[in-house]
């Protein structure tokens, strides 16, 4: 089987230059070969002691208590086989399950853990904040601090509203876009995920894609009637939608780099074209940066690609591991939000001091010089190493990364949209996934999810992961 790696170059961004679509080399680096030789007996030992007995017991009990045994479908192992692993603790780049197995983690709690899990400074700050209480239901100074940090960092945001999840942020921003424009139709892309609110559950990515659900029962037809969809990276399809729905489209929402169909970067002119077309049609451009915000660069995808949308949603990293979301944009739009304006949106725990504290200290760490260069360096090594190992074993693969976000597919590629992503060999991914778990490496249990690195991942973590992949590729 020939392995070819193809991809698109992407426009140069502020700090990290281009999107990295990696070209596989034919031989592994000397250092990884050396590493395999030195560690093979340790790895064999690790595999022998890999049992999931307690995890299975706890998960079997969980299945009787909660639907599917989980509180979010993306945690299910349906597409990779076996059962989800029940975790006991996390620290830095590692996780430990209830049977005592240790994993190098590339899920990072699905994105928030960009400075590493359970960071000492964040935990200390949380302990201090907690002494004053966990929720006031009234304004607190910490909200101002995080709001100022977000406004300073994210080019499109002049005012921000904190909520409790990415889903809430996307729900709020959609209502706001409709309120501001007085129009109702929206465009989203196939395979992009914007949370689980009714209007977005049309050709959605993430767990909806992983579980092969076309749309969800329970979503009334009326809720998705105004949702139009197009393939990602397809400008012509967008032009056609604006043409056939002239004057009716309130907004276009997208993941500026897709993470919910696996990692899919935009083609070089794609985001610029969307910005132009939305402007020409008096529609708002919304970047859903719940995943990419503070991950591709400190100012998110919009800073990285140099494109300023009208509105932005955030989540994950700005809560530093506690439940937070946010939406923001130009002042004239944001002033429509209640109580400044008439568009209603509220939240009992929104802006609570604990979540604000975790966000503030996570962002402070990211501000330190070299953070994104470090993410870029280790993620490059990781993805290149995995692709090289796959190629050496004769697998067709492609993949890429930007800073701390990455992905790879078991297909020659190129992957420009969800249909391309679906060509990936899911059965092979499942075998790879199980093999990597036994080797102590934890990826997202789906081919349709991006992976994440953190400032806590070490060169040794990356080397160990590549060596593990090298062994697993040979036996799948
Ligand atoms: C791009 C994007 N938008 C929205 C969401 C929803 O966020 P949450 O899971 O916090 O509701 C996610 C979740 O992964 C996401 O990746």
């Amino acid at each position: 089987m020939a392995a070819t790696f193809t991809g698109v170059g992407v426009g140069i961004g502020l700090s990290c230059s281009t999107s990295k679509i990696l070209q596989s080399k034919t031989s592994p680096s000397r250092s990884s070969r050396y590493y395999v030789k030195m560690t093979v007996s340790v790895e064999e030992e690790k595999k022998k002691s890999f049992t999931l007995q307690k995890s299975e017991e706890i998960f079997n009990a969980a299945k009787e208590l909660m639907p599917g045994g989980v509180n979010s479908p993306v945690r299910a192992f349906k597409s990779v086989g076996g059962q989800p692993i029940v975790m006991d603790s996390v620290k830095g780049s590692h996780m430990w399950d209830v049977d005592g197995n240790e994993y190098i983690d590339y899920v990072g709690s699905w994105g928030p853990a960009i400075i590493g899990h359970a960071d000492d400074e964040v935990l200390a700050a949380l302990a201090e904040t907690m002494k004053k209480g966990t929720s006031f239901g009234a304004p607190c100074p910490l909200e101002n601090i995080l709001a100022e940090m977000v406004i300073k960092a994210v080019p499109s945001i002049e005012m921000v509203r904190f909520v409790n999840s990415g889903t809430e942020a996307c729900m709020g921003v959609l209502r706001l876009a409709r309120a501001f424009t007085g129009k109702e139709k929206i465009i989203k892309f196939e395979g992009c995920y914007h949370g689980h609110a009714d209007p977005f559950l049309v050709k959605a990515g993430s767990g909806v894609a992983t579980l092969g659900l076309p749309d969800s029962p329970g979503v009334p037809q009326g809720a998705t009637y105004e949702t139009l969809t197009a393939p990602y990276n397809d400008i012509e399809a967008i032009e056609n939608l604006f043409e056939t729905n002239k004057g009716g489209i309130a907004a276009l929402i997208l993941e500026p780099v897709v993470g919910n169909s696996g990692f899919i970067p935009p083609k070089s002119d794609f985001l610029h074209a969307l910005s132009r077309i939305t402007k020409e049609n008096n529609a708002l451009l919304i970047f859903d940066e719940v995943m990419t915000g503070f991950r591709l660069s400190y100012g998110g995808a919009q800073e990285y690609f140099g494109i300023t949308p009208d509105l932005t949603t955030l989540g994950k990293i700005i809560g530093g591991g506690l439940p937070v979301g946010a939406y923001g944009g130009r002042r004239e739009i944001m002033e429509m939000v209640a109580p400044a304006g008439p568009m209603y949106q509220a939240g009992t725990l929104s802006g609570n001091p604990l979540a604000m504290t975790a966000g503030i200290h996570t962002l402070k760490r990211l501000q330190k010089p070299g953070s994104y260069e470090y993410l870029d360096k280790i993620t490059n090594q990781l993805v290149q190493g995995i692709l090289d190992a796959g190629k050496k074993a004769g697998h067709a693969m492609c993949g890429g990364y930007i800073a701390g976000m990455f992905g790879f597919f078991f297909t020659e590629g190129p992957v420009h949209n969800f249909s391309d992503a679906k060509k990936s060999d899911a059965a092979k991914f499942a075998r790879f996934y199980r093999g990597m778990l036994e080797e102590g490496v934890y990826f997202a249990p789906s081919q349709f999810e991006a992976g994440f690195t953190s400032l806590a991942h070490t060169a040794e973590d990356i080397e160990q992961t590549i060596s593990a992949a090298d062994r697993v590729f040979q036996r799948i």
Side-chain angles (χ1 to χ4, degrees):
M1 193 179 343
T4 315
F5 304 94
T6 327
V8 289
V10 173
I12 305 282
L14 180 79
S15 53
C16 302
S17 71
T18 56
S19 159
K20 311 301 189 308
I21 304 297
L22 296 165
Q23 191 73 28
S24 174
K25 295 192 208 112
T26 40
S27 62
S29 71
R30 206 177 264 180
S31 61
S32 70
R33 213 162 33 208
Y34 175 75
Y35 184 81
V36 173
K37 202 170 158 201
M38 295 300 289
T39 58
V40 74
S41 57
V42 178
E43 299 306 330
E44 285 303 315
E45 275 312 303
K46 202 193 253 180
K47 258 171 60 189
K48 267 186 231 151
S49 63
F50 185 78
T51 61
L52 294 170
Q53 198 186 331
K54 268 196 208 163
S55 189
E56 279 166 17
E57 279 166 23
I58 294 170
F59 188 71
N60 286 339
K63 281 195 288 191
E64 297 301 314
L65 304 169
M66 294 165 283
V70 290
N71 282 305
S72 184
V74 293
R75 296 173 201 169
F77 270 37
K78 282 196 171 162
S79 72
V80 291
Q83 293 199 337
I85 294 171
V86 179
M87 292 298 167
D88 179 59
S89 65
V90 287
K91 189 77 185 168
S93 57
H94 287 226
M95 306 206 288
W96 289 262
D97 70 19
V98 289
D99 289 280
N101 301 305
E102 182 173 353
Y103 305 88
I104 303 168
D105 174 31
Y106 294 102
V107 180
S109 193
W110 299 91
I114 193 165
I115 64 169
H117 290 289
D119 177 80
D120 287 342
E121 275 173 39
V122 173
L123 292 185
L126 283 170
E128 272 308 299
T129 298
M130 219 155 14
K131 288 182 193 161
K132 296 184 176 183
T134 60
S135 174
F136 304 159
C140 76
L142 294 165
E143 290 168 287
N144 290 20
I145 297 173
L146 188 59
E148 272 177 14
M149 291 175 91
V150 167
I151 289 166
K152 216 168 156 196
V154 185
S156 67
I157 299 187
E158 291 174 5
M159 277 187 131
V160 64
R161 163 61 58 89
F162 290 116
V163 293
N164 301 291
S165 68
T167 294
E168 260 192 76
C170 293
M171 284 166 64
V173 91
L174 174 59
R175 188 174 303 143
L176 178 58
R178 286 172 164 164
F180 184 75
T181 59
K183 300 187 263 188
E184 296 204 351
K185 289 192 196 305
I186 55 154
I187 300 177
K188 76 172 282 291
F189 289 102
E190 292 163 14
C192 281
Y193 180 67
H194 305 294
H196 62 82
D198 287 354
F200 296 120
L201 285 185
V202 185
K203 297 189 180 165
S206 189
V208 185
T210 305
L211 302 178
L213 306 173
D215 291 308
S216 173
V219 175
Q221 257 191 344
T224 56
Y225 186 69
E226 308 286 12
T227 307
L228 311 170
T229 61
Y232 193 78
N233 271 325
D234 187 341
I235 285 298
E236 210 181 308
I238 292 300
E239 277 169 342
N240 287 342
L241 282 178
F242 273 103
E243 190 54 38
T244 47
N245 296 275
K246 243 189 174 19
I249 295 173
L252 184 157
I253 186 167
L254 81 157
E255 293 178 63
V257 172
V258 183
N260 284 293
S261 313
F263 175 87
I264 308 178
K267 286 184 184 171
S268 59
D269 59 342
F270 183 59
L271 299 177
H272 280 289
L274 295 181
S275 177
R276 173 181 54 77
I277 296 167
T278 47
K279 274 194 185 76
E280 282 167 7
N281 288 279
N282 289 323
L284 299 179
L285 179 63
I286 305 173
F287 274 14
D288 178 353
E289 296 229 42
V290 167
M291 194 180 277
T292 54
F294 294 93
R295 180 159 284 282
L296 304 190
S297 76
Y298 192 69
Q302 52 199 270
E303 179 188 62
Y304 185 89
F305 291 108
I307 291 167
T308 306
D310 299 292
L311 290 165
T312 298
T313 55
L314 295 167
K316 299 187 190 278
I317 289 172
I318 58 159
L322 275 85
V324 179
Y327 60 97
R330 290 207 307 277
R331 181 173 293 274
E332 57 163 337
I333 309 178
M334 290 305 291
E335 280 182 340
M336 285 209 76
V337 180
M343 190 223 81
Y344 196 71
Q345 182 272 308
T348 299
L349 292 171
S350 297
N352 73 76
L354 281 187
M356 297 296 103
T357 297
I360 291 164
H361 288 270
T362 299
L363 297 196
K364 272 192 183 162
R365 179 69 60 79
L366 287 171
Q367 284 171 353
K368 289 196 178 155
S371 294
Y372 291 91
E373 286 77 4
Y374 182 75
L375 290 172
D376 189 78
K377 189 176 105 189
I378 57 164
T379 318
N380 177 7
Q381 284 165 359
L382 176 74
V383 178
Q384 188 70 66
I386 289 175
L387 293 181
D388 284 350
K391 159 102 175 177
K392 198 182 66 171
H395 300 294
M397 291 184 74
C398 65
Y401 79 99
I402 299 176
M405 180 174 171
F406 69 90
F408 48 88
F409 294 102
F410 283 94
T411 174
E412 290 188 2
V415 174
H416 292 311
N417 57 38
F418 189 38
S419 303
D420 294 340
K422 283 194 283 191
K423 291 178 195 151
S424 187
D425 185 338
K428 192 181 273 184
F429 176 78
R431 292 197 296 278
F432 175 74
Y433 187 83
R434 301 291 310 171
M436 290 303 278
L437 269 188
E438 287 181 18
E439 295 271 355
V441 179
Y442 191 83
F443 287 120
S446 164
Q447 178 73 104
F448 300 122
E449 300 284 356
F452 302 115
T453 48
S454 77
L455 295 180
H457 282 84
T458 60
E460 200 191 350
D461 288 333
I462 304 299
E463 279 174 30
Q464 278 187 30
T465 305
I466 295 168
S467 303
D470 196 55
R471 288 187 291 277
V472 173
F473 279 135
Q474 286 170 40
R475 58 177 193 261
I476 59 170

